[in-house]
Amino acid sequence: MRETPGSHVKAVAGIGVFFSSNGLLYASLLPWYPLLIERLDLSPWEFGLVVACFAAGAVASSILPARLIARFGSVSVTVVGTVGTAFFAALAGWSTTPWMLAGCLFLLGACDATVDAAQNVAGTLVQDRGGRTILSSMHAVWSLGGLLGGAASTAVAAAGLELRAHLAVVAVVCVGLVLLGARLVGGEAADPPSPRTVLGIDDLGESSADAATADAGQSSARRSFLRAVVPLAVIAVCGIMVEDIANNWSGLAAVQLSGIPVSGAGIAFSVAIGAQCLGRFSGDLLSNRFGADRIAGAGGILIALGGAAIISAVHPAQLLVGLAAMGCGSATLVPGALGAAAHLPGVDRAAGVTLVNWVMRLGFLGTSPLVGLIAAGGGLRWGLSLIVVIGLVTVVFARHLKR
């Protein structure tokens, strides 16, 4: 079937709907965390462990996204995965014990990781067909969905309305959106990549029959592959750690560090995700003009400066400025790393994206428990000082995004 400009534009719009619905769905739960902390009587350490279950579910999904994408295609996996994500996000609102909330977040994380890999694979397929970079803009649309979801939940919480009904409505809306997105994408992302790689690795790590007889050249190729993928994974981990802190700790920081009421704590998340959204909308243009490595390096500096502002904040204005700098600085890290992962030497598109995505989720797994542990011993300001370290690591590794 011959591709037409109109079909490509529709496909780009469909990918945007995928990303926006995913961002809207997850972010709609986050502003309710301070209320859930109160209802379940969670300490900072316990809260860190509970929210880490989201990352644990994502890590546990392991090679599942690559297998599903190879078997059913990225669009179908995105749709079905979104249904699962919507169900468990809505169910989390009904949690009556920390264990129930942790279980919902674990399953939510597994579904979300699958959707994340699938929609990025679909995005790179459409991107390559169009011959121009769109992935940073698609992640910007994800941030925009998150901004809208967070703002709506904040407004609902401030009005004293029930979180369960709100999350159920959001779940239904997001399933409808992803079905619309699939219709728009059509056949533009209908080429499921093969799970086999030239490195003799089947689906990200299972040894193939040829692996036992691999020659020295193949081993050298594996080493080259690892040298290429590790820096990308580090950059992605830095980006996702910033997102994790914004998701899980910005509301608590707003309440404990700057005195914002619990009902308005969601404004902190909205500021962080809004700044990230603006940074991502300009990310493709800036990266194409100045280089992805320079933009990522500048982002690392912004993250470090934002972290310094947050941990020294005593007034809401300074805290929100720090969150904005942190969000903007992290804007291009994840899309840049995943876009590069789709073109790693020796692995197919789904395998490369899933591998970096999986390692990235390890950052999610450790971030909140680490912040909670430090906060339990020295206070939340010390826990959030991790942001400064993340920014400095980003500056060091940003050069690896140079093409």
Side-chain angles (χ1 to χ4, degrees):
M1 186 171 104
R2 193 161 64 93
E3 180 182 354
T4 65
S7 65
H8 178 71
V9 172
K10 287 174 61 179
V12 172
I15 297 298
V17 172
F18 283 168
F19 276 84
S20 63
S21 62
N22 183 251
L24 173 65
L25 184 55
Y26 181 46
S28 295
L29 174 64
L30 303 178
W32 296 103
Y33 277 168
L35 179 61
L36 288 171
I37 290 173
E38 286 190 353
R39 285 187 178 182
L40 303 179
D41 192 25
L42 298 174
S43 68
W45 170 238
E46 290 170 333
F47 174 67
L49 285 179
V50 167
V51 294
C53 289
F54 177 87
V59 171
S61 69
S62 186
I63 63 173
L64 181 63
R67 287 184 178 274
L68 293 176
I69 295 166
R71 175 67 178 85
F72 300 106
S74 56
V75 173
S76 297
V77 173
T78 299
V79 172
V80 176
T82 299
V83 173
T85 305
F87 175 77
F88 291 114
L91 187 61
W94 291 82
S95 298
T96 55
T97 67
W99 286 106
M100 181 178 176
L101 179 59
C104 288
L105 292 179
F106 181 88
L107 296 171
L108 176 62
C111 292
D112 182 73
T114 303
V115 172
D116 194 25
Q119 67 186 8
N120 274 285
V121 169
T124 58
L125 284 165
V126 172
Q127 173 177 276
D128 289 352
R129 287 192 174 192
R132 64 185 182 90
T133 302
I134 66 167
L135 207 57
S136 183
S137 297
M138 294 301 99
H139 281 261
V141 175
W142 182 91
S143 298
L144 180 60
L147 176 62
L148 294 175
S153 291
T154 300
V156 170
L161 301 179
E162 176 55 46
L163 82 161
R164 296 169 180 174
H166 175 69
L167 292 177
V169 170
V170 170
V172 172
V173 169
C174 287
V175 170
L177 284 174
V178 81
L179 290 172
L180 172 63
R183 185 176 180 84
L184 291 172
V185 172
E188 292 291 296
D191 298 326
S194 168
R196 190 73 63 182
T197 75
V198 299
L199 295 179
I201 302 174
D202 185 10
D203 285 355
L204 301 180
E206 288 193 1
S207 298
S208 68
D210 294 335
T213 58
D215 56 16
Q218 192 177 43
S219 298
S220 177
R222 279 200 181 94
R223 288 193 295 271
S224 298
F225 165 72
L226 290 175
R227 284 195 296 269
V229 76
V230 168
L232 297 181
V234 171
I235 293 169
V237 166
C238 287
I240 207 68
M241 288 178 76
V242 171
E243 290 187 15
D244 183 70
I245 291 173
N247 292 346
N248 299 329
W249 296 95
S250 59
L252 202 59
V255 174
Q256 294 189 5
L257 303 186
S258 63
I260 294 177
V262 171
S263 60
I267 187 64
F269 168 74
S270 296
V271 166
I273 200 73
Q276 185 185 70
C277 178
L278 292 175
R280 283 177 169 173
F281 272 123
S282 60
D284 287 329
L285 177 63
L286 292 174
S287 295
N288 287 331
R289 176 161 184 169
F290 299 107
D293 55 326
R294 292 180 179 178
I295 299 303
I301 295 173
L302 270 179
I303 292 170
L305 292 175
I310 291 168
I311 62 178
S312 62
V314 292
H315 298 292
Q318 181 178 338
L319 178 79
L320 296 178
V321 168
L323 288 169
M326 179 187 77
C328 186
S330 68
T332 64
L333 301 186
V334 172
L338 292 178
H343 300 92
L344 284 171
V347 293
D348 62 60
R349 191 183 307 265
V353 170
T354 303
L355 175 59
V356 173
N357 192 293
W358 183 79
V359 176
M360 179 180 75
R361 300 284 176 160
L362 290 174
F364 247 150
L365 180 61
T367 302
S368 282
L370 181 58
V371 172
L373 179 62
I374 298 172
L380 186 58
R381 295 185 191 276
W382 279 106
L384 294 178
S385 66
L386 184 63
I387 302 169
V388 178
V389 177
I390 294 169
L392 297 177
V393 172
T394 300
V395 173
V396 172
F397 281 86
R399 63 186 178 85
H400 293 281
L401 287 180
K402 186 174 183 179
R403 296 184 183 179

